[in-house]
Amino acid sequence: MNVTRLGRTQVPVSALGFGAAPLGNLYSAIGDDEARATVDAAWDAGLRYFDTAPHYGLGLSERRLGAALAHRPREDFALSTKVGRLLEPHPAPTGSDLAAGGFAVPDTLIRRPDYSRSGVLRSLEASLDRLGLDRVDVVYVHDPDDHLDTAVGEAVPALLELRDQGVVGAVGVGANQVGPLLRSVTETDVDTVMVAGRWTLLDRSAGPLLDVCAARGVSVVAAAPFNSGLLSRPYPAADATFDYGPVPPAVLHRVRGLVEVCARHRTVLPHAAVRFPLRSPEVACVVAGFRSADEVRAAARWAAADLPEAAWADLDRAVEAAR
């Protein structure tokens, strides 16, 4: 699988990256054995970039991912985690994090936003402990939308110091919205941004961000290429999710139009969804979340095979016509 370096750093990432939110029991639980088998399948398929966060399952994703990679040569993979949410004891647990956080784990911990310098350092130290590692390759400031001044003024500078000291390889910001990422790129010296769900086959609103990143030598990691599920199946059902909620009927109609275009070119919707971000030179890799070995193997096949130019032209026309 192709490998690209992030920005001006030496951190290598595979064209397809492993998003570890499902290892934290996103929406529903999976077992430890299934989590391990999913990571093993990713390794066998050539994935060498793995992304996690404390938010994912209140630390469960980090623990599972660290355990699954513990026997792999450390120099053979890149791993990223995130800062901005400290995990602290829950003063009044309800029994499950599913309603509050979206993860099927006990809510014995609670997330407290903290984008201060001290909060960033505490968060990273705790992540390293859960991962069982002495370093991570990339650290992202996670979803700083409502704390952007502190993130730009304290969190990013703290991570840049760690980068300059050689403690981390690259520094980035990750978000679902384009605005915070644009400000982070223009006001700080980040190496990369992770944009979730905004540079996909369906949602191309991150176009201005890619332009700015290209001008400044910042790499883009395109996460959530399936828009949280809608584009993950050859024919989306009415109960599919879009941006972590029910899919609006108008959006479902648009996507089913893209299904027809894919069929005419003898491919399937999720293949186009995985490949779309990789068309852009600013995109170093696409990161998708996986909860089974079969999902990993399918995505790896799609990532390795491009669509014909005629297919892209028809898909682009269909997306533009539906706006």
Side-chain angles (χ1 to χ4, degrees):
M1 186 173 292
N2 290 338
V3 170
T4 303
R5 299 191 186 279
L6 288 178
R8 298 173 296 275
T9 77
Q10 296 302 306
V11 176
V13 293
S14 49
L16 178 63
F18 185 99
L23 299 192
N25 291 353
L26 180 63
Y27 302 136
S28 61
I30 62 173
D32 290 341
D33 290 344
E34 187 174 3
R36 173 67 67 91
T38 304
V39 176
D40 288 346
W43 189 273
D44 293 342
L47 279 69
R48 293 296 183 270
Y49 173 46
F50 301 84
D51 175 69
T52 184
H55 169 57
Y56 304 155
L58 297 171
L60 178 61
S61 173
E62 289 182 317
R63 290 194 297 273
R64 281 177 164 173
L65 184 59
L69 292 172
H71 65 294
R72 306 291 185 182
R74 184 62 186 87
E75 65 275 10
D76 287 356
F77 66 89
L79 187 146
S80 60
T81 192
K82 306 181 181 75
V83 296
R85 293 178 172 97
L86 287 173
L87 302 183
E88 299 178 343
H90 198 313
T94 65
S96 173
D97 180 60
L98 197 55
F103 294 88
V105 296
D107 62 343
T108 54
L109 300 172
I110 193 170
R111 306 165 182 87
R112 182 172 65 81
D114 191 335
Y115 295 84
S116 68
R117 175 187 175 82
S118 61
V120 163
L121 298 178
R122 285 177 56 198
S123 179
L124 182 56
E125 182 179 9
S127 288
L128 290 171
D129 183 63
R130 287 187 291 267
L131 288 162
L133 297 174
D134 60 3
R135 65 178 174 88
V136 292
D137 301 281
V138 189
V139 181
Y140 296 100
V141 180
H142 200 186
D143 294 337
D145 308 47
D146 297 329
H147 308 270
L148 199 50
D149 287 343
T150 307
V152 168
E154 293 193 42
V156 173
L159 294 175
L160 292 177
E161 288 182 19
L162 295 179
R163 182 194 67 185
D164 294 343
Q165 295 166 8
V167 178
V168 300
V171 173
V173 177
N176 293 282
Q177 303 303 321
V178 173
L181 298 178
L182 277 170
R183 182 175 170 191
S184 299
V185 171
T186 55
E187 296 186 16
T188 74
D189 189 32
V190 293
D191 305 297
T192 182
V193 292
M194 177 178 282
V195 55
R198 298 295 173 261
W199 191 242
T200 72
L201 181 67
L202 181 63
D203 186 334
R204 306 185 182 189
S205 56
L209 174 66
L210 267 65
D211 292 341
V212 172
C213 287
R216 296 179 66 93
V218 174
S219 289
V220 176
V221 174
F226 300 128
N227 282 121
S228 79
L230 179 60
L231 306 182
S232 66
R233 299 188 180 281
Y235 191 83
D239 62 352
T241 55
F242 173 68
D243 281 353
Y244 310 103
V247 56
V251 174
L252 182 62
H253 178 74
R254 288 171 56 197
V255 171
R256 287 179 174 172
L258 299 180
V259 168
E260 295 175 4
V261 175
C262 289
R264 290 202 300 270
H265 291 277
R266 298 185 178 183
T267 189
V268 291
L269 181 67
H271 182 185
V274 167
R275 283 296 311 187
F276 171 79
L278 297 172
R279 298 170 68 196
S280 304
E282 301 85 2
V283 174
C285 75
V286 56
V287 170
F290 302 110
R291 61 188 305 114
S292 73
D294 287 344
E295 288 182 358
V296 172
R297 287 189 281 263
R301 290 194 301 270
W302 293 326
D306 202 357
L307 276 63
E309 282 303 315
W312 286 124
D314 284 352
L315 286 165
D316 289 345
R317 280 192 291 268
V319 169
E320 186 63 31
R323 287 183 178 176

